[in-house]
Amino acid sequence: METPLWFIFCQSDLLLLKQADGTFDVPRGVQPPLPAKPWNTVHTLPVADGEMKTFRIDSPPDLPSYELCPLRKSYYVLPFEHYLHAGKCYEINYWDQNTRYCGVCGGAMKKSSAISKRCTQCGKEVWPQLATAVIVLVHRGDEVLMVRARNFRGDFYGLVAGFVETGETLEEAVAREVMEETGITITNIRYFASQPWPYPCGLMVGFHADFVSGNIHLQHEELSTGGWFRADNLPHLPEKLSIARQLIDSWLEAGGKE
């Protein structure tokens, strides 16, 4: 078994080892590159070739040869497998921080397994919760629907997306979100792929769908602009790490049609 990988976070930044050639790697060793404080919970999770460990620190460390890297940016400097590991570790730390007390009786929660906690008073057991969301690329002939959300930090356009509500299927959520956000009716909703989305604890489920009818009427509380785009007039696209980009790229690889 290989020595553990250490995924150490300061807020949403990941501590990485900067190597002599300028590349980055995840610290590995029997001990972490800096000790955990008594109040830091160290989580141990299995990986294919051993195990990974993760915990949170309160302030940036002063460690030569180490740098803090935002979790999103780590996608571009780490092997994809390690980026996925980092995302899972971030979600575990987020869950740990937000489940300190029982939601039933208010008692203190204690780790029961690597991914569960049990209330020390009433015995209630909890596991990490996922916020499931859908995202869809809507097709109209050789055009696709793209929108820009008000909370986007850059100038890129994305796709219609939203959280699944209690009591509805994924496909129902897709149709509802498109109608609510754009006023458009769709059909032929078909699964594309899913993606863990650790910002902070999501699962994104991607779909293709076909336009039926309607004119775009944006839900301005959430969207600032949107429209139909052909392959030759696309706006600034979302980052490669996102399933939105994967959906768009799959359409482009098919020649701008689906």
Side-chain angles (χ1 to χ4, degrees):
M1 179 181 293
E2 294 193 25
T3 53
L5 294 164
W6 288 92
F7 293 88
I8 301 171
F9 288 89
C10 181
Q11 297 183 0
S12 61
D13 290 347
L14 177 63
L15 185 68
L16 296 179
L17 172 65
K18 188 171 184 179
Q19 304 184 104
D21 61 359
T23 61
F24 291 87
D25 200 2
V26 177
R28 186 189 293 271
V30 176
Q31 299 296 327
L34 74 166
K37 302 295 184 182
W39 55 86
N40 296 142
T41 302
V42 178
H43 303 274
T44 301
L45 301 166
V47 294
D49 57 351
E51 63 184 18
M52 58 185 179
K53 293 177 178 287
T54 183
F55 63 93
R56 294 168 54 95
I57 57 178
D58 303 317
S59 59
D62 183 14
L63 287 175
S65 302
Y66 287 87
E67 290 186 13
L68 287 171
C69 176
L71 180 57
R72 286 176 187 265
K73 186 178 177 182
S74 72
Y75 170 85
Y76 299 100
V77 300
L78 292 178
F80 183 62
E81 182 181 29
H82 285 176
Y83 165 73
L84 293 179
H85 290 341
K88 181 169 185 175
C89 288
Y90 180 80
E91 292 190 63
I92 289 294
N93 283 303
Y94 178 85
W95 165 74
D96 180 47
Q97 185 180 30
N98 287 276
T99 54
R100 295 178 179 178
Y101 301 99
C102 178
V104 175
C105 72
M109 300 298 290
K110 184 178 180 180
K111 283 183 66 177
S112 178
S113 72
I115 56 169
S116 69
K117 287 185 176 183
R118 189 182 299 275
C119 177
T120 56
Q121 299 297 319
C122 71
K124 170 72 175 178
E125 195 163 11
V126 299
W127 291 263
Q129 299 294 303
L130 286 176
T132 305
V134 292
I135 186 166
V136 57
L137 183 67
V138 180
H139 301 256
R140 187 182 71 173
D142 64 350
E143 298 175 312
V144 291
L145 177 65
M146 298 188 67
V147 296
R148 188 172 187 283
R150 292 191 177 278
N151 63 355
F152 284 176
R153 295 181 181 179
D155 62 353
F156 66 90
Y157 279 60
L159 306 180
V160 173
F163 290 105
V164 180
E165 295 183 356
T166 302
E168 68 180 355
T169 66
L170 298 176
E171 293 80 5
E172 288 170 343
V174 170
R176 174 183 54 76
E177 285 291 342
V178 173
M179 173 56 71
E180 287 179 357
E181 295 191 5
T182 68
I184 288 172
T185 302
I186 58 174
T187 190
N188 193 22
I189 300 169
R190 50 211 183 271
Y191 174 77
F192 170 70
S194 62
Q195 176 188 42
W197 193 246
Y199 304 104
C201 55
L203 175 67
M204 297 290 291
V205 187
F207 293 87
H208 290 281
D210 296 330
F211 169 82
V212 174
S213 63
N215 296 316
I216 296 176
H217 295 289
L218 296 177
Q219 186 181 49
H220 288 290
E221 294 83 359
E222 296 189 19
L223 303 178
S224 60
T225 186
W228 297 101
F229 296 89
R230 299 186 310 276
D232 61 359
N233 76 332
L234 290 176
H236 186 189
L237 300 180
E239 292 184 80
K240 285 281 190 181
L241 65 88
S242 67
I243 196 170
R245 182 61 177 269
Q246 294 173 31
L247 279 158
I248 295 166
D249 286 348
S250 75
W251 170 67
L252 291 172
E253 290 166 5
K257 55 185 178 181
E258 212 279 328

